[in-house]
Each structure stands twice: as structure tokens, then as C-alpha cells.
């Protein structure tokens, strides 16, 4: 039974503290969401290339449109056809920004955009750039929003 596994069922003496912590966490998440929505709202028309499709929920939640991904599949390398398709987007001004991630080699950026027409940003969707702790998630989410804001500079 799922109810039996809840901390308040196992430790009823702490049920009130658990409820307060839950409410505080929900408020903090709502504030984080509102803050990111405000920061990202002006970026809805951004032409963005990312490495892989890790940003689907972020796109939907905040109205960002990723034009394409560098990788066809998370574990697949980019083939010649994909590179040509991305270069076409670059050459026709359909993208303005390309995001790389700390865990991937940046050499592919020069293959895709040899004349460096695109703004290059670092996005860390897994939080490796942030110290572990209670604020790691919010720091990571703010970091994604800040990186996207740099696409306009």
C-alpha cells in the first residue's frame, strides 16, 4: 500500500512537519516557475539548436522552440545529412543560438557553424555545474533560463 510508505504514516509524530515542508516546497517551486516564465517570455521566437531532445518539457512549460537537435538520438553521432540540414538552418537565419552541454565535446559546434554565426551557450540540464544540495534544482533551472537569455546578447 502506497499510504504505508509515506513518511507521515511511518512517523506520525512528524506528520505536521512533513506537511509544512511539502507546502513550503510547493510554494518554492511555484515561485521558481513564475520567475523562469518571466525571464524566458521574451525568448519565445528564439531559433535554438540543442544537442539532444532533453528539453521537451522545458520547451512546453516555457514556450521555447528548439528548431533541431545536433544528435538524431541521444547516443548517436551526427551524420553528414544532419550536419547539412543544420547548416542550412544556420545559413538561412532560422537559428540564432546553439547550446552545448558540459558532458559533450564542443568540436561539433565548429563543424555545424564554422563561421561562428551563432551565439554559443552552455546549458546544463543535469546539474553537474552546480553544487549538490537543497538548491541544486532551482540553480540548474535558473541556469537554463540565464543561458537562454544569453542567446539575445
Amino acid at each position: 500500500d502506497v499510504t504505508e510508505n509515506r513518511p507521515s504514516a511511518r512517523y506520525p509524530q512528524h506528520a505536521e512537519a512533513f506537511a509544512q515542508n511539502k507546502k513550503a516546497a510547493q510554494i518554492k517551486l511555484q515561485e521558481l516557475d513564475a520567475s523562469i516564465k518571466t525571464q524566458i517570455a521574451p525568448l519565445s521566437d528564439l531559433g535554438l539548436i540543442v544537442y539532444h531532445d532533453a528539453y521537451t518539457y522545458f520547451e512546453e512549460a516555457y514556450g521555447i522552440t528548439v528548431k533541431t537537435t545536433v544528435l538524431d538520438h541521444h547516443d548517436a553521432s551526427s551524420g553528414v545529412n544532419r550536419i547539412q540540414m543544420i547548416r542550412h538552418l544556420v545559413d538561412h537565419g532560422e537559428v540564432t543560438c546553439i547550446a552545448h552541454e558540459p558532458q559533450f565535446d564542443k568540436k561539433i559546434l565548429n563543424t555545424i557553424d564554422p563561421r561562428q554565426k551563432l551565439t554559443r551557450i552552455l546549458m546544463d540540464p543535469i546539474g553537474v555545474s552546480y553544487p549538490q544540495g537543497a538548491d541544486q534544482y532551482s540553480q540548474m533551472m535558473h541556469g537554463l533560463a540565464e543561458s537562454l537569455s544569453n542567446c539575445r546578447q
Side-chain angles (χ1 to χ4, degrees):
D1 184 16
V2 174
T3 311
E4 292 175 12
N5 291 326
R6 291 186 180 183
S8 57
R10 295 186 78 173
Y11 305 99
Q13 69 274 24
H14 300 295
E16 182 60 34
F18 294 145
Q20 288 174 0
N21 289 343
K22 177 183 175 183
K23 186 174 182 173
Q26 288 172 329
I27 290 169
K28 190 172 181 179
L29 286 172
Q30 289 169 350
E31 290 170 350
L32 173 65
D33 183 56
S35 172
I36 291 172
K37 281 182 180 172
T38 300
Q39 185 174 4
I40 290 183
L43 306 174
S44 62
D45 64 338
L46 190 63
L48 180 64
I49 300 171
V50 295
Y51 262 89
H52 54 89
D53 62 355
Y55 301 95
T56 304
Y57 294 116
F58 195 84
E59 289 176 71
E60 290 175 11
Y62 300 111
I64 296 297
T65 301
V66 170
K67 293 287 186 176
T68 192
T69 59
V70 173
L71 304 177
D72 273 331
H73 182 269
H74 184 69
D75 294 326
S77 62
S78 297
V80 173
N81 290 338
R82 186 149 200 90
I83 300 290
Q84 288 176 337
M85 182 270 299
I86 295 171
R87 280 186 174 175
H88 177 82
L89 292 174
V90 173
D91 291 341
H92 288 86
E94 295 183 43
V95 292
T96 56
C97 194
I98 188 166
H100 59 93
E101 297 179 18
Q103 72 272 25
F104 291 109
D105 190 347
K106 294 191 309 186
K107 285 188 245 178
I108 189 78
L109 300 180
N110 291 329
T111 303
I112 291 169
D113 183 28
R115 293 183 300 278
Q116 297 191 13
K117 290 181 173 181
L118 303 177
T119 301
R120 297 176 183 196
I121 60 169
L122 175 66
M123 292 181 73
D124 181 6
I126 57 176
V128 298
S129 304
Y130 303 99
Q132 291 183 0
D135 290 332
Q136 184 179 24
Y137 178 76
S138 62
Q139 289 174 354
M140 179 194 71
M141 293 297 287
H142 276 296
L144 292 174
E146 184 65 32
S147 291
L148 288 170
S149 295
N150 290 334
C151 283
R152 288 284 192 229
Q153 297 178 359

